[in-house]
Amino acid sequence: MRRYKVTVTTASDGTVTAYSPRLAGKIHSIQYVKDGANAYTDGVDFAITAETTGENVWTESNVNASAVRYPRAATHSQAGVAALFASGGTAVQDKIGVVDRLKIVLAQGGAAKVGAFHILVD
């Protein structure tokens, strides 16, 4: 497993677009670390996607504290049909595979505030 730390600083309007290094593997988890007096203000919004394809990895609004997420995506058969645990049941999900950078877009983070994202990849 590999860990990538991305430190992101907002602009004066509280927004920023940043990128992780190029990742190759399946995303195990993403941890947002809110630390110190210069941390993002409460209510920050995240949108983390694969840079090339735009595949959603983590989108959440109004985040107030450090958080860990284990993003998963629905799986499908070779025919494109959703894979379910039972007929009409819960979707089968798996880790999101990437060979790309992650695009991290923030809004409402406060002026010149800092946060860190730790991305764990299998």
Side-chain angles (χ1 to χ4, degrees):
M1 192 166 309
R2 295 168 309 281
R3 176 187 301 269
Y4 301 89
K5 179 181 179 185
V6 182
T7 302
V8 180
T9 303
T10 59
S12 61
D13 66 355
T15 66
V16 66
T17 298
Y19 296 89
S20 73
R22 190 175 191 290
L23 310 174
K26 292 187 175 185
I27 298 172
H28 178 74
S29 64
I30 301 175
Q31 179 180 18
Y32 158 58
V33 178
K34 181 174 183 167
D35 186 32
N38 202 32
Y40 302 140
T41 58
D42 285 354
V44 64
D45 300 335
F46 303 144
I48 301 176
T49 58
E51 178 185 23
T52 303
T53 65
E55 181 177 9
N56 183 36
V57 177
W58 177 15
T59 301
E60 190 168 340
S61 297
N62 301 319
V63 178
N64 296 328
S66 294
V68 179
R69 299 294 182 260
Y70 297 84
R72 301 295 184 261
T75 61
H76 302 81
S77 73
Q78 293 86 344
V81 177
L84 303 174
F85 282 109
S87 178
T90 304
V92 176
Q93 297 187 344
D94 197 5
K95 294 176 184 174
I96 299 170
V98 292
V99 181
D100 204 350
R101 298 189 309 172
L102 293 186
K103 180 179 179 181
I104 303 168
V105 178
L106 276 66
Q108 301 180 166
K113 300 295 183 177
V114 180
F117 296 85
H118 296 262
I119 306 161
L120 272 61
V121 178
D122 286 338

